[in-house]
Structures are given as C-alpha cells and as structure tokens.
Amino acid sequence: MGRRALLGSLLAAPALAQASWPNRPIRFISPFAPGGPQEVPARIIAEHLSQRLGQPVVIESRPGAGSAVGTQFVARETDGHTFLFTTTSFATLPAIMKDPGFDPFVDLVPVTLVSESSLLLAARADAPFVDVAGLLAAAKARPGRISVGSAGIGSSTHLSMALLQNLAGIELLHVPYRGVTQSLTALLAGDIDLWTGDPSIPAGQLQDGKVRPLAVTTAARSPALPNVPAIGEAVPGFAVPFWFAMLGGRATPAEAVPILIREMAALRAPDSALWRRMTAQGATVLLTGPEALAARLRQEIPQWKRVAAAAGITPE
C-alpha cells in the first residue's frame, strides 16, 4: 500500500467508527414527574445498556400535559439517541387531546414493550359487595350512585372503568382526583366507593384488611395476587393491562432499534435484575421488540378513542 493510500485509510477509520451507533450519550425521557413507577425499569435498563454499549444512559423527567410534553420532546429530537420511556398513557392521549402534538404512528419509532402488569379494582372492607358480580348487581340496582375514583379525567384508571361500564352495561359515578394516592385517601375516608390503580400503592391497607381487592384488570390473574380474580372472569372481553414501553423519535437510525433489542435480551432471563424486580411487583417482563409494540398501539389507540367517546369525554 502506498503512503497516500495508507494515509487515506487511517483518516477514514475514525470516520467509520464515529458513524456507528451509539456515538454519544443516550437519553431516556420520562414524560412524568420524578419518582413514578416507570423509573424502576427505566433505571435498570439504563444501567444495563450503559455497560453493554459503552455510552452513558441518562434519565430525564419532562412532565406535563398528561405526558404530552415529554413525548413531544422526543418526537422532535434529531440526535438519534433520545428515547421515550412511557406507559399506557401513550395510547390514551390521542383519545383525550385533539392535538397531543405528535402523531403516534409517524413521529415515534417503536422499540419494545418492556413489561405489563395489572391495575387493581378495590373497595373498602365494609363495602356491601365482595366481588365483581356483587358490584355489577349493586350498580344495576343503583345506576350512577356507586362512585369510583381515578387519577384524573382521561387517565388509564378513568378509561379502564369507562370500558367496564360499556361492557357490563352499568353506570358508575366517576370522581377524578390528581393522582391515585389522593383517590385512595378518598376511598379510606368514605368519600368514594371504588378505587383503581397500581396494586402496590394500597399494599399496607390490603394487608391490614382496610381495603378489599375485587379484581385485577388484566385478562388473566396477576401472579402477585393469585387469589384475586380478573374482571374478565365476570365481564367477558374486559382486559386492560398497564404497560411500560420504549419508543424513539422519528430520527432514530435504522440500526439503533436492533442494537437495543439485542443488548436488552439478557434482561429477559429470570436471574436478571429487571426480571427479579418486576416480577416481585407482579409485572411480566416482555421486551418483545418493535413489532409487538406497534401491534399493541394499532389495537389500543382506536379502542381508547371509542371508549372515551362512549364515556362522553370530549378531547380538549
């Protein structure tokens, strides 16, 4: 090789290395306030990818507008290293906002479903019904009189109960709060009759008998609450899993998603930190890849639009 050719090859080598992905720190954007349940899997995955890819993976919270602010930020980023770490709210936002500021099918690239778990439907220990069948009977006898709290209008806790009303042919009184913790406080105070949310939130009250679990919202029973039936056992067709997912902005390089999927594969093993932590919380680790996430969004986004319309929720 001549001197000029050798010099050319040496100069080209760094450029080729720089073109590979990732070539800078990776950001996970959480569209919620710090301290939310999504941070647990996000931090485990961030630490794992940082070790595997040789680049820092940092988590940033950009809350606001029901997760729309953080989602818009990722949709507009052009660095190819910024990803959204979100929840079921990604599928419900288009049902409650006329223009959430992004097109879920155009402006973001599916990476993977991370995990899914169940919400819990619960009542106080002194409730006159002990299961979903009893609740349905009571609701049909007193239309609009049995109240259910939610984390806010258009939240997954609100829409899941709207779906229950549609499928079961009942009418509940929806009472929105600023979060599931506030609605749990209202349940314990006797201000509302029903509560729905993450089962880990009322763990202490479940243990001491102040809160009665009625059912979980997934199609099958939760491994964390094996003795609690699924709502679908009494209301055929009802299934509302609560999931975590990763998506990239539309500028995400084509090679990035396969690299991420490949490097996260080890987290599906039962001895991984992600598996141990999530299963302890009653969640199922998925890490299925982009196709399953895309299929989930194609199914859920139209579904929640129909549910919101039937519940009289007018997109703002």
Side-chain angles (χ1 to χ4, degrees):
M1 179 182 292
R3 183 177 179 182
R4 181 175 296 178
L6 177 59
L7 181 60
S9 65
L10 290 174
L11 290 174
L16 289 173
Q18 189 174 2
S20 63
W21 190 95
N23 54 37
R24 66 176 70 182
I26 297 169
R27 288 188 295 177
F28 283 179
I29 303 300
S30 168
F32 307 99
Q38 77 286 346
E39 285 193 10
V40 173
R43 293 193 182 283
I44 294 173
I45 292 173
E47 181 179 353
H48 175 81
L49 288 177
S50 180
Q51 295 172 354
R52 298 285 299 180
L53 296 175
Q55 290 285 354
V57 182
V58 297
I59 300 173
E60 297 180 12
S61 290
R62 291 182 176 265
S67 78
V69 170
T71 304
Q72 292 168 8
F73 177 82
V74 175
R76 295 167 184 164
E77 266 298 329
T78 60
D79 65 3
H81 289 69
T82 301
F83 294 86
L84 181 70
F85 205 100
T86 190
T87 69
T88 310
S89 66
F90 183 82
T92 60
L93 266 179
I96 62 174
M97 298 181 71
K98 288 182 180 178
D99 181 13
F102 62 90
D103 185 322
F105 299 110
V106 174
D107 296 325
L108 292 117
V109 175
V111 177
T112 189
L113 281 164
V114 173
S115 65
E116 71 175 22
S117 57
S118 177
L119 298 175
L120 175 69
L121 175 63
R124 285 189 312 283
D126 60 356
F129 36 80
V130 297
D131 53 23
V132 173
L135 166 62
L136 299 182
K140 289 177 180 178
R142 303 170 57 207
R145 300 291 299 278
I146 296 176
S147 56
V148 56
S150 81
I153 295 174
S155 65
S156 57
T157 50
H158 177 198
L159 293 179
S160 63
M161 291 299 97
L163 177 61
L164 174 62
Q165 294 177 78
N166 291 350
L167 294 177
I170 60 173
E171 180 185 351
L172 301 174
L173 174 62
H174 172 235
V175 183
Y177 291 88
R178 298 188 66 178
V180 288
T181 302
Q182 290 85 346
S183 60
L184 178 61
T185 300
L187 176 76
L188 295 171
D191 297 332
I192 55 175
D193 302 306
L194 297 168
W195 177 89
T196 184
D198 188 315
S200 66
I201 294 172
Q205 290 85 356
L206 289 169
Q207 188 172 10
D208 62 21
K210 293 180 180 178
V211 170
R212 173 185 296 158
L214 298 180
V216 294
T217 62
T218 39
R221 298 191 180 198
S222 168
L225 298 167
N227 296 322
V228 178
I231 291 177
E233 294 177 32
V235 183
F238 183 96
V240 180
F242 183 76
W243 44 260
F244 297 130
M246 283 179 60
L247 301 98
R250 63 189 306 176
T252 302
E255 67 268 27
V257 174
I259 290 172
L260 289 169
I261 296 302
R262 181 190 71 212
E263 298 302 338
M264 287 190 288
L267 294 174
R268 291 199 297 265
D271 61 346
S272 74
L274 182 67
W275 182 282
R276 293 196 305 270
R277 188 66 180 272
M278 299 308 290
T279 53
Q281 296 179 358
T284 300
V285 175
L286 300 175
L287 295 176
T288 52
E291 294 82 7
L293 175 54
R296 177 72 63 92
L297 296 177
R298 287 194 298 269
Q299 184 265 324
E300 287 198 8
I301 290 175
Q303 168 190 291
W304 292 126
K305 286 183 177 180
R306 293 191 297 269
V307 170
I313 301 172
T314 303
E316 299 181 355

